[in-house]
Amino acid sequence: VHSLQISWLLFVFFSSDIEISRAQSPKAVDVLAKEIGLLTDEIEIYGQTKAKVRLSLLERLKDQPDGKYVLVAGITPTPLGEGKSTVTIGLVQALTAHLDINSFACLRQPSQGPTFGVKGGAAGGGYAQVIPMEEFNLHLTGDIHAITAANNLLAAAIDARILHENTQSDKALYNRLVPVVNGVRGFSAIQLARLRRLGINKSDPGTLTEEEVSKFARLDIDPSTITWQRVVDTNDRFLRKITVGQANTEKGFIRQAQFDIAVASEIMAILALTTSLQDMKERLGKMVVANDKKGEPVTAEDLGVTGALAVLMKDAIKPTLMQTLEGTPVFVHAGPFANIAHGNSSVLADKIALKLVGETGFVVTEAGFGADIGMEKFFNIKCRASGLVPSVVVLVATVRALKMHGGGPNVTAGAPLKKEYTEENLQLVADGCCNLQKQIQIAQLFGVPVVVALNVFKTDSVAEVDLVCKIAKQSGAFDAVPCNHWSAGGRGAVKLAQAVEKAARQKNSFKYLYSLELPIVEKIRIIAQKVYGAEDIELSLAAQTQIDRYTRQGFGNLPICMAKTHLSLSHQPERKGVPTGFILPISDVRASIGAGFIYPLVGTMSTMPGLPTRPCFYDIDLDPITEQVKGLF
Amino acid sequence: VHSLQISWLLFVFFSSDIEISRAQSPKAVDVLAKEIGLLTDEIEIYGQTKAKVRLSLLERLKDQPDGKYVLVAGITPTPLGEGKSTVTIGLVQALTAHLDINSFACLRQPSQGPTFGVKGGAAGGGYAQVIPMEEFNLHLTGDIHAITAANNLLAAAIDARILHENTQSDKALYNRLVPVVNGVRGFSAIQLARLRRLGINKSDPGTLTEEEVSKFARLDIDPSTITWQRVVDTNDRFLRKITVGQANTEKGFIRQAQFDIAVASEIMAILALTTSLQDMKERLGKMVVANDKKGEPVTAEDLGVTGALAVLMKDAIKPTLMQTLEGTPVFVHAGPFANIAHGNSSVLADKIALKLVGETGFVVTEAGFGADIGMEKFFNIKCRASGLVPSVVVLVATVRALKMHGGGPNVTAGAPLKKEYTEENLQLVADGCCNLQKQIQIAQLFGVPVVVALNVFKTDSVAEVDLVCKIAKQSGAFDAVPCNHWSAGGRGAVKLAQAVEKAARQKNSFKYLYSLELPIVEKIRIIAQKVYGAEDIELSLAAQTQIDRYTRQGFGNLPICMAKTHLSLSHQPERKGVPTGFILPISDVRASIGAGFIYPLVGTMSTMPGLPTRPCFYDIDLDPITEQVKGLF
């Protein structure tokens, strides 16, 4: 085995991810679908290697017991990432292809922006990949495009509505909103619903009083309160702050606005948290986009656009089936931001996968960022939305990140690694394990057993690897195992799979960290203190005002989605290890009412990445003869 | 038959397009693909009712003779449209399902903007539809989304590049563009190509002189000359004129910009005109986005983004197969604007369809707007790009539009029709036939026989219908036939199909209207005089300057794509019938170098529609149980 591993290593060393991806022909997706027990009319095939899975499956399998539910989270990462995606894929490859246990990986769909910007793709890497990786990293089955279309239709509707209200009398507005068509004048279903919400129980447009006409026809949006932004799935820094409405046709109603990257849209968070088409439609309708001039929330439903948004999202709600390099099944579905949103793939994919693997099978999903953020949100937000109970947390660590936490020099994307990271240094490793220990403890707050997966790099020494595993076990991990999935595929994660399988048989005492009934401030404080290790929190005036507003508007009982840096347990990215003695500053508080969470801002969060001087696309090309994509990684 | 037609009429009268669409279950697209002779590995299925067709088919069938090529064009329309799409679909239904002649309809993909804005969908209507119409009108197979992504990546690259050049020295810029990776410094393939274009025959980054470094690293884009705009597929009027770059991170480099609707992107025009993956990549690279400070064109290739654009467009280049209500095959592919672009569906779809129908079969495609615009561009731009020779022009007319040209009152979308249009009025019809006659003559300029298809409405009298057909034949049409496809499907267009089949057997003397070698001004003048009937053209100073610039830059030999109103043969929409004695004013001249045409602006062209007070989406809804879309029409 050892010499085989070396030859693999050599091959991997000289092969790019896309070459490895291409060297393995994926099986036809209809064959894969059949293997995992899907019926012909439960899938919608998109090309040879992707298929959408219909939600009707949940009804058919409703009496099937769920499989085991495994979350892959990480320690506080370096800017290079610690390999959570490759661990997720390596683990399911080990379970299914090597241990013969049904398993499913549920992954986030990556944004196309970073694929062409700085980061490159996100399909895993080496011998733990989703294939074909170019399909995974490009349009996939169009879900992010659907989100962009829905998000921007709503944005256009807001500004157009304000313009039309500003330039027309109540009567003119009403006549246009409720026109005579073929001699008949009637409200549409959407308009009747609005009348009911306004307490006007009439259905004949001719019978409304002047006051009712005005109430019905005017949303009276306060433009300064608009929180709904436009999106593109492109790293376009020049759209971070813009002025819109400067053409003459918009009659001087200019305002400042911004574009976010598409995955920052609340609609993406909804896609990730929804449990059915009906639920998605309700969430879309509840999205608050602004306040009216009286301070009351204005929703997508008020704008009459709920149905259109649901129509645009009707296919996006179906998870996309793909496969790993070893032919095991993967769902790719939703990919919300991990700061202003909750950074987890979809509830629906997990639910369907848990039915498909059966009682003895495993579903492995991944949370963005470190465990202090992604895992905390997985438990408190995602599991609350789904009602699912996780069995095991796999905590991914690297010797590199631990050395950084132990006091090693800065790690920067693009710059060569310092020698501390390429040569053995047991002291740095030992000192840095405090971060690992703290992240284990965070997972234990939720009552779930932790298996540490040490993602081994070729520069790691045996002594370093042994040391990490020893400390991890001393710190309360159920087990700690070195993994070589990147170079060896599922075979390199067999020990991890065995440990996870064993941990999943432990008694489960899963619990949420806080009750929803607590005041918003209390919920924020619990996360700050218990998870981040802050002494306390400090609210800005703006934050306090928003909290009061949301509480008054009836949104006080939502879970909290902290928008904090992932590069430190604290709010200061440069503070590595386990920072103590800090007060967490909450600069502002916002809400995604449709998705169903309040998100406090801990510092400024960029919602639009930029293109660097040398973007990834300099290496990306298409061979017009073979149709092969080059340079995606 | 007659009573059957009446019962159909009654059913149609009480049924919306989407209800008719839904009442007919489409056959599975793989069954359809097999029927028309596609091999299994030549299609990529998207769900049950759509499939992309691989271009490899063209190679397999290269020795197969082409079928007959029919263009559906129209007289100068009312704002309500005269039914070219329904004629196109009715005609192929008649040919294939009723006359047993192989045929294919090739249609444009509609923009989603108008679907949710004013216009509604574009799948045809009544019993001459593409089904499922909601698939046709929504995301389809993602081509417009791919165009949006590619277009906006290029836009982001332009602004980011200007920022990086403005804030870095030559050396810093060069070091970032050509970094040391794993101890090695090298140019990427894209950069080597740029060096060759600059005449620098070096491949070792260390050997460039300071001057060469500067030349390589700086594009020196003049921001005031940027013609590349961002796009969204949403009617978002507030993006017509905006200011970008106002965040601090963009360091004060703000500029005025705009978003166009996605289908106005030059990439859409390229998709419609390209003949292969290689050709598309070359066209994408040639797109001119701005001038540098010396007045030389800056291209997508200069920005290093050609490969990434081709990667984003690699699936969009494959036409999408759907079906009519009567189960006959349809390609839906590309949908460029009909004013600033050429308004015709793709060359590739037509080419593939012509092979598939075989020598005795028919391919029917449609040109946007009236024949003076869509047809002229079809011949002079699209046929030139494809090398295909059209056999017949079907010219669609309605009694309604002819009455308008004969002096009838204004026809406005949304307002009830005046009685002139609902009661018999032979004088108005007779007077209005001048427009029909002129459009027939325009088609004859190209040496192609014309069959007039009178799209009959239920308010048209027999005498009116007979009169139009008589005048049409007197005016040089090969034949003129009333059509009832909307209420009767293919059966209602059998006479049209027979006339078209007969006309296609005529001797063909197809010719272009002008030689590409003529100066730009001459080409514009020929179109203005021979097609529109203008006395002459008048160039603004801006137009003359641009013509001189394009000529100097080597773009003088491209065909001309006039951006003129479609509501009159002249530049003044209110002038109906056959305007004479006018001078056509050319306010500006622009160019789509990748698509391969120069487009003179005759007046202002809006490239971003808006949402009205009561947008279509007020009627659109999704039933969460049945998953059915309501209110699309």
Side-chain angles (χ1 to χ4, degrees), chain A residues 108-123 134-140 143-145 147-148 231-236 260-265 268 332 334-337 607-609 616 632-633, chain B residues 149 312:
Chain A
R108 289 168 290 168
Q109 182 187 356
S111 165
Q112 253 177 205
T115 302
F116 293 99
V118 185
K119 189 173 164 283
E134 60 268 41
E135 297 295 323
F136 181 88
N137 283 315
L138 294 170
H139 310 289
L140 200 66
D143 297 351
I144 295 181
H145 295 320
I147 289 166
T148 303
V231 301
V232 280
D233 194 24
T234 309
N235 284 11
D236 194 347
D260 295 335
I261 188 98
V263 292
S265 170
M268 174 59 97
V332 189
F337 250 39
T607 46
M608 175 54 89
C616 294
L632 263 184
F633 58 92
Chain B
L312 284 165

Short mmCIF file of all heavy atoms in Angstrom, two decimals, chain A residues 108-123 134-140 143-145 147-148 231-236 260-265 268 332 334-337 607-609 616 632-633, chain B residues 149 312:
data_model
loop_
_atom_site.label_atom_id
_atom_site.label_comp_id
_atom_site.label_asym_id
_atom_site.label_seq_id
_atom_site.Cartn_x
_atom_site.Cartn_y
_atom_site.Cartn_z
N ARG A 108 -22.44 22.62 -0.80
CA ARG A 108 -22.93 23.91 -1.29
C ARG A 108 -22.55 24.10 -2.76
O ARG A 108 -21.49 23.64 -3.19
CB ARG A 108 -22.31 25.05 -0.47
CG ARG A 108 -22.84 25.12 0.95
CD ARG A 108 -22.01 26.04 1.80
NE ARG A 108 -20.69 25.43 2.04
CZ ARG A 108 -19.66 26.07 2.55
NH1 ARG A 108 -19.77 27.34 2.89
NH2 ARG A 108 -18.52 25.46 2.75
N GLN A 109 -23.39 24.80 -3.50
CA GLN A 109 -23.01 25.21 -4.86
C GLN A 109 -22.13 26.44 -4.76
O GLN A 109 -22.50 27.42 -4.11
CB GLN A 109 -24.25 25.52 -5.70
CG GLN A 109 -23.86 25.90 -7.13
CD GLN A 109 -25.00 26.41 -8.00
OE1 GLN A 109 -26.15 26.43 -7.58
NE2 GLN A 109 -24.66 26.80 -9.21
N PRO A 110 -20.96 26.42 -5.38
CA PRO A 110 -20.10 27.60 -5.28
C PRO A 110 -20.58 28.74 -6.18
O PRO A 110 -21.21 28.52 -7.20
CB PRO A 110 -18.75 27.08 -5.78
CG PRO A 110 -19.08 25.95 -6.70
CD PRO A 110 -20.36 25.34 -6.17
N SER A 111 -20.26 29.94 -5.76
CA SER A 111 -20.51 31.13 -6.58
C SER A 111 -19.54 31.14 -7.74
O SER A 111 -18.38 30.76 -7.61
CB SER A 111 -20.29 32.37 -5.72
OG SER A 111 -20.17 33.51 -6.53
N GLN A 112 -20.02 31.58 -8.91
CA GLN A 112 -19.14 31.69 -10.07
C GLN A 112 -18.16 32.86 -9.93
O GLN A 112 -17.13 32.87 -10.59
CB GLN A 112 -19.97 31.90 -11.33
CG GLN A 112 -20.03 30.70 -12.21
CD GLN A 112 -20.92 30.87 -13.42
OE1 GLN A 112 -21.40 29.89 -13.94
NE2 GLN A 112 -21.17 32.06 -13.89
N GLY A 113 -18.53 33.83 -9.10
CA GLY A 113 -17.65 35.00 -8.95
C GLY A 113 -16.23 34.60 -8.60
O GLY A 113 -15.29 34.84 -9.37
N PRO A 114 -16.02 33.96 -7.45
CA PRO A 114 -14.67 33.56 -7.05
C PRO A 114 -14.02 32.58 -8.02
O PRO A 114 -12.79 32.56 -8.13
CB PRO A 114 -14.90 32.91 -5.68
CG PRO A 114 -16.15 33.52 -5.18
CD PRO A 114 -17.01 33.76 -6.38
N THR A 115 -14.81 31.77 -8.72
CA THR A 115 -14.22 30.82 -9.68
C THR A 115 -13.38 31.56 -10.72
O THR A 115 -12.34 31.08 -11.14
CB THR A 115 -15.35 30.03 -10.38
OG1 THR A 115 -16.11 29.37 -9.39
CG2 THR A 115 -14.79 29.02 -11.37
N PHE A 116 -13.86 32.74 -11.10
CA PHE A 116 -13.11 33.52 -12.08
C PHE A 116 -12.30 34.64 -11.43
O PHE A 116 -11.65 35.42 -12.11
CB PHE A 116 -14.07 34.11 -13.11
CG PHE A 116 -14.72 33.08 -13.96
CD1 PHE A 116 -16.01 32.63 -13.70
CD2 PHE A 116 -14.02 32.51 -15.01
CE1 PHE A 116 -16.60 31.66 -14.48
CE2 PHE A 116 -14.60 31.53 -15.80
CZ PHE A 116 -15.88 31.10 -15.53
N GLY A 117 -12.39 34.73 -10.10
CA GLY A 117 -11.72 35.82 -9.40
C GLY A 117 -10.42 35.39 -8.75
O GLY A 117 -9.40 35.23 -9.42
N VAL A 118 -10.46 35.12 -7.44
CA VAL A 118 -9.25 34.76 -6.72
C VAL A 118 -9.18 33.29 -6.38
O VAL A 118 -8.17 32.63 -6.54
CB VAL A 118 -9.18 35.54 -5.37
CG1 VAL A 118 -7.86 35.26 -4.67
CG2 VAL A 118 -9.34 37.02 -5.61
N LYS A 119 -10.31 32.75 -5.95
CA LYS A 119 -10.29 31.50 -5.23
C LYS A 119 -10.23 30.26 -6.12
O LYS A 119 -9.69 29.23 -5.74
CB LYS A 119 -11.56 31.45 -4.36
CG LYS A 119 -11.63 30.31 -3.38
CD LYS A 119 -12.85 30.51 -2.48
CE LYS A 119 -13.18 29.23 -1.74
NZ LYS A 119 -13.85 28.24 -2.56
N GLY A 120 -10.78 30.36 -7.31
CA GLY A 120 -10.92 29.17 -8.14
C GLY A 120 -12.13 28.38 -7.69
O GLY A 120 -12.95 28.86 -6.92
N GLY A 121 -12.23 27.16 -8.16
CA GLY A 121 -13.41 26.33 -7.92
C GLY A 121 -13.49 25.79 -6.51
O GLY A 121 -12.64 26.06 -5.67
N ALA A 122 -14.51 24.99 -6.24
CA ALA A 122 -14.76 24.51 -4.89
C ALA A 122 -15.29 23.08 -4.89
O ALA A 122 -16.11 22.72 -4.08
CB ALA A 122 -15.76 25.43 -4.19
N ALA A 123 -14.80 22.27 -5.82
CA ALA A 123 -15.34 20.92 -5.98
C ALA A 123 -14.60 19.90 -5.11
O ALA A 123 -14.76 18.70 -5.29
CB ALA A 123 -15.26 20.50 -7.44
N GLU A 134 -15.84 20.94 -13.70
CA GLU A 134 -16.22 22.17 -14.39
C GLU A 134 -17.73 22.38 -14.36
O GLU A 134 -18.21 23.52 -14.27
CB GLU A 134 -15.67 22.23 -15.82
CG GLU A 134 -16.11 21.12 -16.75
CD GLU A 134 -15.12 19.95 -16.74
OE1 GLU A 134 -14.64 19.57 -15.67
OE2 GLU A 134 -14.88 19.40 -17.83
N GLU A 135 -18.49 21.28 -14.38
CA GLU A 135 -19.94 21.42 -14.25
C GLU A 135 -20.30 21.96 -12.87
O GLU A 135 -21.14 22.82 -12.72
CB GLU A 135 -20.64 20.07 -14.47
CG GLU A 135 -20.45 19.48 -15.86
CD GLU A 135 -21.07 20.33 -16.94
OE1 GLU A 135 -22.15 20.90 -16.70
OE2 GLU A 135 -20.47 20.44 -18.03
N PHE A 136 -19.64 21.37 -11.85
CA PHE A 136 -19.86 21.79 -10.47
C PHE A 136 -19.59 23.28 -10.30
O PHE A 136 -20.31 24.00 -9.62
CB PHE A 136 -18.96 20.96 -9.56
CG PHE A 136 -19.08 21.26 -8.09
CD1 PHE A 136 -20.03 20.61 -7.31
CD2 PHE A 136 -18.24 22.18 -7.48
CE1 PHE A 136 -20.14 20.88 -5.95
CE2 PHE A 136 -18.35 22.45 -6.13
CZ PHE A 136 -19.30 21.79 -5.36
N ASN A 137 -18.51 23.74 -10.92
CA ASN A 137 -18.06 25.12 -10.70
C ASN A 137 -18.71 26.15 -11.63
O ASN A 137 -18.54 27.34 -11.42
CB ASN A 137 -16.55 25.21 -10.88
CG ASN A 137 -15.82 24.66 -9.67
OD1 ASN A 137 -16.17 24.96 -8.54
ND2 ASN A 137 -14.81 23.83 -9.90
N LEU A 138 -19.40 25.70 -12.67
CA LEU A 138 -19.98 26.68 -13.61
C LEU A 138 -21.48 26.83 -13.35
O LEU A 138 -21.89 26.99 -12.22
CB LEU A 138 -19.63 26.29 -15.04
CG LEU A 138 -18.11 26.39 -15.33
CD1 LEU A 138 -17.76 25.78 -16.67
CD2 LEU A 138 -17.65 27.84 -15.30
N HIS A 139 -22.29 26.76 -14.39
CA HIS A 139 -23.71 27.07 -14.22
C HIS A 139 -24.47 26.01 -13.42
O HIS A 139 -25.55 26.27 -12.93
CB HIS A 139 -24.38 27.25 -15.58
CG HIS A 139 -23.64 28.17 -16.49
ND1 HIS A 139 -23.59 29.52 -16.28
CD2 HIS A 139 -22.90 27.95 -17.62
CE1 HIS A 139 -22.87 30.10 -17.24
NE2 HIS A 139 -22.44 29.16 -18.06
N LEU A 140 -23.93 24.80 -13.34
CA LEU A 140 -24.60 23.66 -12.72
C LEU A 140 -26.00 23.52 -13.34
O LEU A 140 -26.10 23.43 -14.55
CB LEU A 140 -24.65 23.82 -11.19
CG LEU A 140 -24.87 22.52 -10.42
CD1 LEU A 140 -23.70 21.56 -10.57
CD2 LEU A 140 -25.12 22.77 -8.94
N ASP A 143 -29.34 27.12 -10.60
CA ASP A 143 -30.01 27.62 -9.39
C ASP A 143 -29.58 29.05 -9.04
O ASP A 143 -30.41 29.88 -8.67
CB ASP A 143 -29.71 26.71 -8.20
CG ASP A 143 -30.26 25.30 -8.39
OD1 ASP A 143 -31.00 25.08 -9.36
OD2 ASP A 143 -29.94 24.43 -7.57
N ILE A 144 -28.29 29.33 -9.10
CA ILE A 144 -27.84 30.68 -8.73
C ILE A 144 -28.35 31.70 -9.74
O ILE A 144 -28.71 32.82 -9.39
CB ILE A 144 -26.30 30.73 -8.57
CG1 ILE A 144 -25.87 29.85 -7.39
CG2 ILE A 144 -25.82 32.17 -8.35
CD1 ILE A 144 -24.37 29.83 -7.11
N HIS A 145 -28.45 31.29 -10.99
CA HIS A 145 -29.02 32.19 -11.99
C HIS A 145 -30.50 32.47 -11.68
O HIS A 145 -30.98 33.59 -11.87
CB HIS A 145 -28.89 31.60 -13.38
CG HIS A 145 -27.48 31.45 -13.85
ND1 HIS A 145 -26.51 32.41 -13.61
CD2 HIS A 145 -26.85 30.47 -14.54
CE1 HIS A 145 -25.36 32.02 -14.15
NE2 HIS A 145 -25.54 30.84 -14.71
N ILE A 147 -31.85 32.44 -8.73
CA ILE A 147 -31.84 33.34 -7.57
C ILE A 147 -31.58 34.78 -8.03
O ILE A 147 -32.24 35.72 -7.59
CB ILE A 147 -30.78 32.89 -6.55
CG1 ILE A 147 -31.23 31.60 -5.87
CG2 ILE A 147 -30.49 33.99 -5.53
CD1 ILE A 147 -30.14 30.88 -5.10
N THR A 148 -30.61 34.95 -8.92
CA THR A 148 -30.28 36.28 -9.43
C THR A 148 -31.51 36.90 -10.10
O THR A 148 -31.85 38.06 -9.86
CB THR A 148 -29.13 36.17 -10.44
OG1 THR A 148 -28.01 35.55 -9.81
CG2 THR A 148 -28.71 37.54 -10.96
N VAL A 231 -28.26 41.90 -7.19
CA VAL A 231 -27.13 40.97 -7.15
C VAL A 231 -26.65 40.58 -8.55
O VAL A 231 -27.41 40.63 -9.52
CB VAL A 231 -27.47 39.66 -6.38
CG1 VAL A 231 -27.89 39.96 -4.95
CG2 VAL A 231 -28.55 38.85 -7.09
N VAL A 232 -25.38 40.23 -8.66
CA VAL A 232 -24.81 39.55 -9.83
C VAL A 232 -23.87 38.47 -9.30
O VAL A 232 -23.30 38.61 -8.22
CB VAL A 232 -23.99 40.47 -10.77
CG1 VAL A 232 -24.90 41.29 -11.68
CG2 VAL A 232 -23.03 41.36 -9.99
N ASP A 233 -23.71 37.40 -10.09
CA ASP A 233 -22.82 36.32 -9.66
C ASP A 233 -21.43 36.53 -10.27
O ASP A 233 -20.83 35.63 -10.84
CB ASP A 233 -23.39 34.96 -10.05
CG ASP A 233 -22.70 33.81 -9.34
OD1 ASP A 233 -22.12 34.06 -8.26
OD2 ASP A 233 -22.71 32.68 -9.85
N THR A 234 -20.95 37.75 -10.12
CA THR A 234 -19.68 38.17 -10.70
C THR A 234 -18.96 39.01 -9.65
O THR A 234 -19.61 39.77 -8.94
CB THR A 234 -19.93 39.07 -11.94
OG1 THR A 234 -20.85 38.41 -12.82
CG2 THR A 234 -18.65 39.39 -12.67
N ASN A 235 -17.65 38.86 -9.56
CA ASN A 235 -16.87 39.70 -8.65
C ASN A 235 -16.72 41.09 -9.26
O ASN A 235 -15.77 41.36 -9.98
CB ASN A 235 -15.47 39.10 -8.45
CG ASN A 235 -15.47 37.91 -7.52
OD1 ASN A 235 -16.52 37.39 -7.18
ND2 ASN A 235 -14.30 37.50 -7.10
N ASP A 236 -17.66 41.96 -8.98
CA ASP A 236 -17.67 43.27 -9.64
C ASP A 236 -17.61 44.39 -8.60
O ASP A 236 -18.62 44.95 -8.19
CB ASP A 236 -18.93 43.39 -10.52
CG ASP A 236 -18.83 44.56 -11.48
OD1 ASP A 236 -17.94 45.42 -11.32
OD2 ASP A 236 -19.65 44.61 -12.41
N ASP A 260 -24.79 43.12 -4.52
CA ASP A 260 -24.07 42.09 -3.78
C ASP A 260 -23.79 40.93 -4.73
O ASP A 260 -24.41 40.82 -5.78
CB ASP A 260 -24.92 41.59 -2.60
CG ASP A 260 -25.16 42.67 -1.56
OD1 ASP A 260 -24.35 43.61 -1.47
OD2 ASP A 260 -26.18 42.57 -0.85
N ILE A 261 -22.89 40.06 -4.31
CA ILE A 261 -22.69 38.82 -5.07
C ILE A 261 -23.96 37.97 -4.88
O ILE A 261 -24.58 38.00 -3.81
CB ILE A 261 -21.41 38.09 -4.62
CG1 ILE A 261 -21.08 36.91 -5.52
CG2 ILE A 261 -21.49 37.63 -3.17
CD1 ILE A 261 -20.06 37.23 -6.57
N ALA A 262 -24.37 37.24 -5.92
CA ALA A 262 -25.68 36.59 -5.93
C ALA A 262 -25.91 35.70 -4.71
O ALA A 262 -27.02 35.63 -4.18
CB ALA A 262 -25.86 35.78 -7.21
N VAL A 263 -24.86 35.01 -4.25
CA VAL A 263 -25.05 34.07 -3.14
C VAL A 263 -25.33 34.78 -1.82
O VAL A 263 -25.70 34.14 -0.83
CB VAL A 263 -23.85 33.11 -2.99
CG1 VAL A 263 -23.80 32.17 -4.18
CG2 VAL A 263 -22.54 33.88 -2.86
N ALA A 264 -25.18 36.12 -1.80
CA ALA A 264 -25.53 36.88 -0.60
C ALA A 264 -27.01 37.23 -0.56
O ALA A 264 -27.49 37.79 0.43
CB ALA A 264 -24.69 38.17 -0.54
N SER A 265 -27.74 36.89 -1.62
CA SER A 265 -29.17 37.19 -1.65
C SER A 265 -29.91 36.42 -0.56
O SER A 265 -29.62 35.24 -0.30
CB SER A 265 -29.75 36.81 -3.01
OG SER A 265 -31.17 36.87 -2.99
N MET A 268 -31.15 33.06 -1.59
CA MET A 268 -30.25 31.91 -1.44
C MET A 268 -30.40 31.30 -0.05
O MET A 268 -30.44 30.07 0.10
CB MET A 268 -28.81 32.36 -1.68
CG MET A 268 -27.79 31.27 -1.42
SD MET A 268 -28.02 29.77 -2.42
CE MET A 268 -26.84 30.08 -3.75
N VAL A 332 -25.70 18.66 -4.59
CA VAL A 332 -25.18 20.03 -4.57
C VAL A 332 -26.40 20.93 -4.54
O VAL A 332 -27.23 20.87 -5.47
CB VAL A 332 -24.35 20.33 -5.83
CG1 VAL A 332 -23.64 21.67 -5.69
CG2 VAL A 332 -23.36 19.22 -6.10
N ALA A 334 -27.74 24.88 -2.98
CA ALA A 334 -27.71 26.14 -2.22
C ALA A 334 -26.30 26.41 -1.70
O ALA A 334 -25.54 25.48 -1.43
CB ALA A 334 -28.71 26.13 -1.07
N GLY A 335 -26.00 27.67 -1.56
CA GLY A 335 -24.68 28.05 -1.05
C GLY A 335 -24.70 29.45 -0.49
O GLY A 335 -24.07 30.36 -1.01
N PRO A 336 -25.44 29.63 0.63
CA PRO A 336 -25.54 30.99 1.18
C PRO A 336 -24.22 31.45 1.79
O PRO A 336 -23.41 30.63 2.22
CB PRO A 336 -26.61 30.85 2.26
CG PRO A 336 -26.61 29.41 2.63
CD PRO A 336 -26.21 28.66 1.40
N PHE A 337 -24.01 32.75 1.79
CA PHE A 337 -22.87 33.36 2.48
C PHE A 337 -22.76 32.82 3.90
O PHE A 337 -23.77 32.56 4.54
CB PHE A 337 -23.09 34.88 2.55
CG PHE A 337 -22.16 35.65 1.67
CD1 PHE A 337 -21.83 35.18 0.41
CD2 PHE A 337 -21.63 36.86 2.09
CE1 PHE A 337 -20.97 35.91 -0.41
CE2 PHE A 337 -20.77 37.58 1.27
CZ PHE A 337 -20.44 37.11 0.03
N THR A 607 -19.89 42.25 0.89
CA THR A 607 -20.84 41.35 0.22
C THR A 607 -20.60 41.35 -1.28
O THR A 607 -21.43 40.86 -2.03
CB THR A 607 -22.29 41.76 0.53
OG1 THR A 607 -22.40 43.18 0.37
CG2 THR A 607 -22.66 41.40 1.95
N MET A 608 -19.47 41.91 -1.69
CA MET A 608 -19.11 41.88 -3.10
C MET A 608 -17.59 41.76 -3.24
O MET A 608 -16.87 42.72 -2.99
CB MET A 608 -19.60 43.14 -3.80
CG MET A 608 -19.17 43.28 -5.25
SD MET A 608 -19.60 41.85 -6.28
CE MET A 608 -21.24 42.35 -6.83
N PRO A 609 -17.10 40.57 -3.60
CA PRO A 609 -15.65 40.42 -3.80
C PRO A 609 -15.22 41.20 -5.05
O PRO A 609 -16.05 41.61 -5.85
CB PRO A 609 -15.47 38.91 -4.03
CG PRO A 609 -16.81 38.28 -3.84
CD PRO A 609 -17.84 39.35 -3.92
N CYS A 616 -8.15 34.70 -11.78
CA CYS A 616 -8.07 33.30 -12.21
C CYS A 616 -8.28 33.14 -13.70
O CYS A 616 -7.76 32.21 -14.31
CB CYS A 616 -9.16 32.47 -11.55
SG CYS A 616 -9.01 32.31 -9.80
N LEU A 632 -9.33 25.54 -14.79
CA LEU A 632 -10.19 25.64 -13.61
C LEU A 632 -9.54 24.80 -12.52
O LEU A 632 -9.07 23.69 -12.79
CB LEU A 632 -11.57 25.08 -13.90
CG LEU A 632 -12.69 26.04 -14.29
CD1 LEU A 632 -13.98 25.27 -14.42
CD2 LEU A 632 -12.87 27.12 -13.24
N PHE A 633 -9.52 25.28 -11.31
CA PHE A 633 -8.94 24.46 -10.24
C PHE A 633 -9.66 24.72 -8.93
O PHE A 633 -10.50 25.62 -8.86
CB PHE A 633 -7.45 24.73 -10.08
CG PHE A 633 -7.13 26.17 -9.79
CD1 PHE A 633 -7.03 26.63 -8.50
CD2 PHE A 633 -6.97 27.07 -10.83
CE1 PHE A 633 -6.75 27.97 -8.25
CE2 PHE A 633 -6.69 28.40 -10.58
CZ PHE A 633 -6.59 28.85 -9.29
N ALA B 149 -23.76 36.15 -17.45
CA ALA B 149 -22.53 35.89 -16.67
C ALA B 149 -21.30 36.29 -17.46
O ALA B 149 -20.38 36.93 -16.93
CB ALA B 149 -22.48 34.40 -16.29
N LEU B 312 -17.79 29.98 -20.22
CA LEU B 312 -19.14 30.30 -19.75
C LEU B 312 -20.20 30.03 -20.82
O LEU B 312 -21.35 29.75 -20.51
CB LEU B 312 -19.22 31.76 -19.29
CG LEU B 312 -18.58 32.03 -17.93
CD1 LEU B 312 -18.36 33.53 -17.72
CD2 LEU B 312 -19.44 31.46 -16.80
#
